[in-house]
Amino acid sequence: MGAESAPRNKFFRRPSTLAERNFIADALRTETVGGALLLIAAVVAVVWANTGWSDAYQDLRDVRFGPAALHLDLSLSTWAADGLLAIFFFVAGIELKRELVVGDLRNPAQAILPVVAAGCGMLTPALFYFAVNTGGGSPDGWAIPTATDIAFALAVLAVIGTSLPSALRSFLLTLAVVDDLGAILIIAIFFTDSVNFLALAGAFALLAVFWLLQRRRVRGWWFYVPLALVIWALMHESGVHATVAGVAMGLLMRVVPDRGERTSPAEHVEHLVRPVSAGLAVPIFALLSAGVAISGPVLGDVFTHRPTLGVLLGLIAGKVVGIFVGTWLVARFTRAQLSDDLAWPDVFGMSMLAGIGFTVSLLISELAFTDDPVLTEQAKAAVLVGSVLSAAAATVVLRIRNNTYARLCAEENRDDDGDGIPDVYRTDADRLRRDKLA
């Protein structure tokens, strides 16, 4: 035999070194990478559902597995919506808790603007939807355009806003976190047909145990992971959407480090879980939910069918009107003030960006029209079209603002005489003295 052949290259091998694994995890913690994976998964789903292999896509979504004795014999798409998205909402819950305890929401004067903006940004799209569907159509889809996709919106902002003020990202993050809490409340209140109070009581009892373990400074994943799984299963059995368990546990995490702790438990756990959420949970959900058959008639229905038109206008118009006008009214008639680093055109562009309702809107589409699969698919198509249009419009506005800030930054750093001191800091006397010396 000849010389020993070289080992074959493995495309999906496990990273071989700790540094390599850490590099991948750190990449998944950035908004651009997470948003890119989400977009790729959505594109793959749409392409797959519109090819000759569309039946295979549907068969994959319908694959069932899980212990039937525990009422967990679920389809793959349901596991993604109820299970994997619980991880996404767990991270969102931690972000909300941090904002409430140590972030912008801690100070009522700073919190009022993004909180009111989030509230108006959920109410106004629902009103747009009801206005379109008054006297016909279906009122059941009012909640679909109320949500903002944190991952997608922040990813777009990170790509186009290299020179935008950091206060804009903070405003958007706070708004989106409050928005997610609102979406969870909507799901829990309006999309729970029947409640198993015994299972719900068990879930709340174990959530109390979760809180007590945090309060007693108990550490160790072997306590929390089994407990979290049982809480999730009980919440699912109760009839309340299982993602509520994720956000509840996130809100119970301790976000302030004790003396001697480098990081709080919430920060440590989020650091570990965020790559799973961004790199696995959300992309898989998008892959299994965004596969909508797109054709001329379907796109036509988006702009002419009342429920889908309501979703579309809610995302691309309702979000802008609600967030921008709500923020302006609060700043105009109360003591609340917009950050000195922001201008109103920045808020307008961010309001457009909030019209990206992708992940949570797709989830609510499945919950709103459970008895009408055709309308569910049409609503998903409207979510996709509305999110794309919102992202495109926001990109144009924020790109113009980004270029404006870039020019201002360049002007502030001009140093025509090369003395290491920007010209903007030179007084007229300095310039006259310099000219005499020259």
Side-chain angles (χ1 to χ4, degrees), residues 370-418:
T370 53
D371 297 329
D372 193 339
V374 174
L375 190 52
T376 298
E377 297 303 302
Q378 292 174 339
K380 287 184 177 181
V383 169
L384 295 178
V385 173
S387 296
V388 170
L389 292 177
S390 295
T395 298
V396 172
V397 174
L398 292 177
R399 197 65 186 172
I400 293 173
R401 296 299 300 164
N402 186 75
N403 292 339
T404 299
Y405 282 110
R407 287 195 300 270
L408 290 174
C409 183
E411 186 65 26
E412 289 179 355
N413 291 315
R414 277 184 59 188
D415 183 19
D416 292 339
D417 55 10

Side-chain angles (χ1 to χ4, degrees), residues 216-422:
R216 296 290 185 180
R217 274 49 178 179
V218 175
R219 294 179 175 274
W221 65 267
W222 48 87
F223 290 110
Y224 291 101
V225 172
L227 182 61
L229 292 175
V230 176
I231 291 172
W232 177 88
L234 286 172
M235 192 67 74
H236 184 276
E237 179 65 17
S238 73
V240 177
H241 200 270
T243 51
V244 175
V247 77
M249 285 184 279
L251 287 170
L252 293 176
M253 293 294 296
R254 182 165 59 87
V255 297
V256 178
D258 290 334
R259 181 176 298 177
E261 286 184 327
R262 294 182 58 187
T263 60
S264 68
E267 185 178 352
H268 175 69
V269 171
E270 183 189 7
H271 190 74
L272 296 175
V273 175
R274 183 177 288 278
V276 179
S277 174
L280 183 70
V282 176
I284 288 180
F285 170 76
L287 178 65
L288 295 173
S289 298
V292 179
I294 301 296
S295 62
V298 170
L299 291 177
D301 288 340
V302 168
F303 294 94
T304 58
H305 199 42
R306 286 195 178 193
T308 52
L309 182 60
V311 171
L312 183 67
L313 291 179
L315 288 173
I316 64 177
K319 281 287 184 182
V320 177
V321 172
I323 293 173
F324 184 78
V325 175
T327 305
W328 184 84
L329 288 175
V330 172
R332 175 67 177 81
F333 295 107
T334 72
R335 295 183 179 180
Q337 294 182 343
L338 194 66
S339 170
D340 293 336
D341 295 332
L342 294 180
W344 286 108
D346 303 331
V347 179
F348 184 74
M350 186 208 61
S351 302
M352 292 180 168
L353 200 60
I356 303 175
F358 195 76
T359 303
V360 183
S361 292
L362 289 177
L363 173 62
I364 298 178
S365 297
E366 296 182 352
L367 300 175
F369 302 119
T370 53
D371 297 329
D372 193 339
V374 174
L375 190 52
T376 298
E377 297 303 302
Q378 292 174 339
K380 287 184 177 181
V383 169
L384 295 178
V385 173
S387 296
V388 170
L389 292 177
S390 295
T395 298
V396 172
V397 174
L398 292 177
R399 197 65 186 172
I400 293 173
R401 296 299 300 164
N402 186 75
N403 292 339
T404 299
Y405 282 110
R407 287 195 300 270
L408 290 174
C409 183
E411 186 65 26
E412 289 179 355
N413 291 315
R414 277 184 59 188
D415 183 19
D416 292 339
D417 55 10
D419 63 353
I421 301 176

Side-chain angles (χ1 to χ4, degrees), residues 17-34:
T17 66
L18 178 61
E20 189 177 353
R21 292 195 293 271
N22 287 340
F23 174 79
I24 294 174
D26 288 340
L28 290 173
R29 292 185 186 102
T30 63
E31 289 91 3
T32 49
V33 175

Side-chain angles (χ1 to χ4, degrees), residues 89 179-189 241 243-244 247 360:
F89 279 110
D179 187 284
D180 265 354
L181 177 63
I184 279 292
L185 292 175
I186 288 174
I187 291 171
I189 296 171
H241 200 270
T243 51
V244 175
V247 77
V360 183

